[in-house]
Amino acid sequence: MANSPCSFPSFGISEIYRSYNSFTGYEKQESFSKRKQEELSGIENLGATHSLCSEYGFYQENNPPGKRVNFATDIEPSFPEFAPSPPIYSPGILSGFEFDPTFLSTNQSLSEILGEEEEQSSFSVASLQLLTNSASGIKKLKGEIRSDYEINYAGGQKLSTEEIMRVAGERFIQLSTQRVDDSSSMHIHPYGYAFSGLSFEDTQDVELVHLLLAAAEKVGYQQFASASRLLTSCEWLSSATGNPVQRVVSYFAGALRERIDRETGRFASWKMEGNENYSMAGSGTRVSSNLALLKFHQELPFSQVMLFPGIQAILENIKSDTKIHLVDLRIRSGVQWVILMQALTERVLHPIENLKITAVGTTGGENMEETGKRLANFAKSLNLPFSFNVVLLSDMKDLTTEHFNTEDGEAVVIYSQTILPSMISRPNCLENLLGVIRKLNPAIMVVIEVEANHNSPSFFNRFIEALFFYSALFDCLEEFGNQDDQYRITLEGKFFGDGIHNIVAAEGEERVNRNVKMSVWRAFFARFGMVGAELSESALYQANLIVKQFAFGSYCTLENDGKCLTVGWKGTPIHSLSTWKFL
């Protein structure tokens, strides 16, 4: 086609960071080479960013015909149904833990909807039967029962980290429920036929995960002495710099150890810094968390697959508005608004009279101010009318509509990225926030969240959900980075590691990492008159093309149910993007 939508001559997200960060003197570390500084810190001038709009192919219907613009102007008429390629494994032992509360009453409390009530359940054999839901993905081939992992290995494929977890879970169930008399049990290997067809490395990994599950069972029963002995074995055999399975086990064993210390009074209470889903607390690594996170955003597809379709949805809902007020509930670097700014400057009709951004938060006021300065300088370079405000609160329950200074004729846009779950433990804050947003009557609300259930009141359910979710993330990092890569080690330790510890070890308000799936958010949002808005073909096409720009992008799975886009790794959901309007 002459005007192929969303054409990507070269995927240049790094150029965006370079040009944007050049306005701020982004922190450089002397321990890195000049090449790394240029790649990650951003030292080039604005000229390095050629038209982002043409490169990223945003579509606006108001571009008049006959004038060349930098947005895609048409879509393939035979746009294929947006569905992922089949995952390499069928639904297995996690499916039994799907948090599916009944939403029959319109008078349900936030705690009832989001599963907030703390009712600890034991780590029992009866609960473990959930692991075998749907026969745990067992398939019948030529009259012989074979599991997915055996099929994969027979085909010469090494098992993924998540598959190792499934195999270990299946075998743990078998041994937990197996009834063997005393005489025969003395002559049966403790794993028996469990490792038929597995490589030596995979066998060792399965054994290691089996030890971890056994330790978690003992913790669930509060048999801390037995659990501690098992954890000592896990810690001896695992490593934070080993293969992905060893890394996952290392962090989960540490989290179980912390839970024992908490319950026995040997651990001082603490709260995750800034109520982050992936806490940035921690020290001792040689790479700053900012650089590690930037590397993560550049080289892994998840962030960008969420970012560009989200911007496309915003553009489509403010296409004729000239006064735009963006409310960002967790602004971070603000790079998404750099991309939006450049897109808005490409408008021919309805030029922007003012772009206002209000950053809302309870911590990091200085960082928000610095982000505002960067954005203001970038807007000035584009000759785009711009203003920036910071709303810094001690608690989200104090937020009111007066904090936003909205004006007549402004189109309000709400951007919420992985912030809502941190307020589940404080329902008054979450309910107040949604109530204020409803009063602002936004043109669109973009919600990006972790697509996982880390809020089950059952310690066991929560442990298993987190184990499989983070196994997929660690497996992904294995494809993109060397085992001793310092960016990877920092990311796993400061972000993923702290998240694991918070889910597994903490309770009450200290447990802020409480992700829930989109089905749960839908039920909650409905209480505030929010309805899901469909994602356009342009937005879906953006996501599909972005994935193809990455190495190992074929492992990145995309699913769309019409009103929610989910991006996953080898079939395991990681993040979701949804857009909302208010009735």
Side-chain angles (χ1 to χ4, degrees):
M1 296 178 60
N3 295 310
S4 177
C6 304
S7 58
F8 292 77
S10 63
F11 192 68
I13 188 68
S14 58
E15 281 78 10
I16 300 174
Y17 281 101
R18 289 191 187 105
S19 60
Y20 175 40
N21 289 326
S22 66
F23 291 107
T24 65
Y26 197 81
E27 177 186 3
K28 301 178 179 63
Q29 296 193 6
E30 294 181 357
S31 59
F32 293 100
S33 66
K34 182 179 179 180
R35 182 181 64 82
K36 285 296 183 183
Q37 290 175 352
E38 292 176 352
E39 177 184 353
L40 297 175
S41 303
I43 62 173
E44 297 180 9
N45 58 30
L46 181 63
T49 305
H50 48 83
S51 178
L52 294 177
C53 301
S54 62
E55 185 171 358
Y56 292 90
F58 292 113
Y59 173 70
Q60 294 187 130
E61 295 181 353
N62 289 327
N63 297 321
K67 177 176 176 59
R68 185 184 181 281
V69 295
N70 290 319
F71 295 98
T73 56
D74 56 0
I75 295 290
E76 291 276 3
S78 57
F79 182 76
E81 183 176 353
F82 199 80
S85 56
I88 62 174
Y89 47 79
S90 60
I93 61 180
L94 257 192
S95 57
F97 294 115
E98 190 74 33
F99 184 56
D100 188 23
T102 303
F103 307 116
L104 298 179
S105 171
T106 57
N107 296 319
Q108 286 177 302
S109 68
L110 174 63
S111 297
E112 291 173 325
I113 291 179
L114 296 182
E116 153 72 7
E117 297 299 328
E118 291 297 333
E119 297 178 2
Q120 294 300 310
S121 58
S122 65
F123 203 106
S124 65
V125 172
S127 297
L128 287 171
Q129 292 299 328
L130 293 172
L131 289 168
T132 58
N133 185 270
S134 302
S136 199
I138 299 296
K139 294 182 178 179
K140 187 173 183 179
L141 299 178
K142 298 181 180 179
E144 179 185 4
I145 300 298
R146 303 178 68 195
S147 62
D148 286 347
Y149 79 89
E150 291 173 321
I151 295 169
N152 259 0
Y153 188 73
Q157 301 179 29
K158 188 183 185 305
L159 298 187
S160 71
T161 307
E162 204 257 12
E163 286 173 322
I164 291 289
M165 300 295 168
R166 291 185 184 277
V167 175
E170 291 174 12
R171 301 323 175 201
F172 186 69
I173 295 300
Q174 291 174 1
L175 291 181
S176 297
T177 58
Q178 193 174 43
R179 297 186 178 182
V180 184
D181 60 41
D182 292 340
S183 60
S184 61
S185 65
M186 295 176 63
H187 305 289
I188 295 179
H189 186 277
Y191 298 98
Y193 59 86
F195 304 127
S196 174
L198 292 184
S199 68
F200 178 74
E201 181 182 357
D202 285 346
T203 298
Q204 286 186 314
D205 287 342
V206 171
E207 290 178 334
L208 178 58
V209 176
H210 191 111
L211 282 173
L212 179 70
L213 292 172
E217 179 188 34
K218 296 299 183 183
V219 172
Y221 282 131
Q222 296 190 331
Q223 297 174 356
F224 298 136
S226 298
S228 182
R229 288 192 293 270
L230 289 167
L231 287 175
T232 298
S233 297
C234 289
E235 291 160 349
W236 178 261
L237 296 171
S238 64
S239 169
T241 58
N243 68 33
V245 173
Q246 293 169 350
R247 290 171 183 246
V248 171
V249 171
S250 176
Y251 285 109
F252 274 88
L256 287 173
R257 180 78 71 184
E258 181 184 325
R259 186 175 182 90
I260 293 174
D261 290 343
R262 284 172 177 265
E263 295 199 15
T264 55
R266 294 194 297 267
F267 188 94
S269 296
W270 61 282
K271 289 188 177 182
M272 294 177 72
E273 183 177 341
N275 287 341
E276 298 276 350
N277 284 82
Y278 301 118
S279 174
M280 295 180 66
S283 61
T285 51
R286 289 158 40 193
V287 179
S288 78
S289 56
N290 285 339
L291 292 177
L293 190 60
L294 179 56
K295 184 84 168 179
F296 175 79
H297 287 313
Q298 285 182 335
E299 296 194 1
L300 271 65
F302 307 124
S303 297
Q304 294 174 46
V305 171
M306 297 289 99
L307 189 153
F308 289 98
I311 294 174
Q312 178 69 48
I314 292 173
L315 288 170
E316 292 168 354
N317 282 273
I318 58 170
K319 55 190 176 184
S320 60
D321 296 292
T322 59
K323 296 180 180 179
I324 301 167
H325 188 167
L326 301 170
V327 176
D328 194 328
L329 301 180
R330 193 179 186 183
I331 197 164
R332 298 186 180 89
S333 69
V335 70
Q336 68 272 21
W337 306 133
V338 172
I339 300 170
L340 181 70
M341 284 179 186
Q342 191 124 25
L344 292 175
T345 61
E346 297 291 332
R347 275 189 179 183
V348 177
L349 300 178
H350 308 293
I352 299 299
E353 296 180 30
N354 186 49
L355 173 64
K356 180 194 299 181
I357 294 180
T358 299
V360 181
T362 56
T363 60
E366 183 177 343
N367 291 335
M368 288 192 286
E369 293 287 358
E370 286 300 316
T371 295
K373 293 176 182 178
R374 286 197 297 268
L375 291 172
N377 289 333
F378 195 89
K380 183 177 180 180
S381 72
L382 299 176
N383 199 28
L384 184 70
F386 177 78
S387 60
F388 185 87
N389 301 305
V390 171
V391 176
L392 186 63
L393 304 167
S394 59
D395 201 308
M396 276 292 192
K397 66 180 177 60
D398 300 325
L399 185 69
T400 67
T401 55
E402 285 71 25
H403 284 107
F404 297 100
N405 299 318
T406 55
E407 301 176 4
D408 292 339
E410 282 186 344
V412 176
V413 174
I414 308 295
Y415 192 82
S416 173
Q417 183 173 359
T418 60
I419 185 63
L420 300 179
S422 66
M423 288 181 275
I424 290 178
S425 63
R426 297 168 293 126
N428 56 338
C429 296
L430 187 54
E431 291 183 316
N432 179 68
L433 173 64
L434 269 294
V436 170
I437 290 175
R438 181 179 182 178
K439 292 177 183 178
L440 292 176
N441 192 26
I444 192 74
M445 179 173 178
V446 176
V447 176
I448 297 173
E449 284 299 343
V450 173
E451 183 64 9
N453 173 32
H454 297 151
N455 192 41
S456 173
S458 163
F459 161 69
F460 169 60
N461 289 17
R462 201 165 65 244
F463 179 88
I464 296 296
E465 286 273 6
L467 181 64
F468 280 79
F469 176 80
Y470 282 100
S471 291
L473 285 179
F474 277 73
D475 188 86
C476 178
L477 291 178
E478 178 72 4
E479 301 289 355
F480 288 88
N482 297 324
Q483 289 188 354
D484 59 352
D485 184 279
Q486 288 300 310
Y487 296 108
R488 175 182 175 184
I489 293 172
T490 300
L491 184 70
E492 291 175 347
K494 288 190 176 182
F495 293 84
F496 299 165
D498 279 357
I500 291 168
H501 276 249
N502 189 254
I503 294 170
V504 173
E507 294 296 347
E509 288 194 8
E510 289 187 352
R511 180 161 61 83
V512 298
N513 201 337
R514 293 172 174 262
N515 303 303
V516 295
K517 294 188 176 182
M518 184 48 60
S519 58
V520 180
W521 284 122
R522 281 193 178 113
F524 179 60
F525 289 163
R527 299 177 58 199
F528 295 89
M530 297 171 64
V531 293
E534 289 191 14
L535 295 168
S536 68
E537 289 185 340
S538 298
L540 299 178
Y541 200 15
Q542 291 262 4
N544 200 24
L545 287 181
I546 288 169
V547 165
K548 294 178 181 179
Q549 308 302 315
F550 287 88
F552 307 103
S554 59
Y555 291 152
C556 188
T557 52
L558 300 175
E559 296 183 14
N560 170 50
D561 66 1
K563 297 182 180 180
C564 177
L565 174 66
T566 301
V567 56
W569 181 255
K570 297 181 180 179
T572 299
I574 302 296
H575 284 289
S576 65
L577 166 70
S578 57
T579 55
W580 302 84
K581 292 179 178 290
F582 287 76
L583 294 176

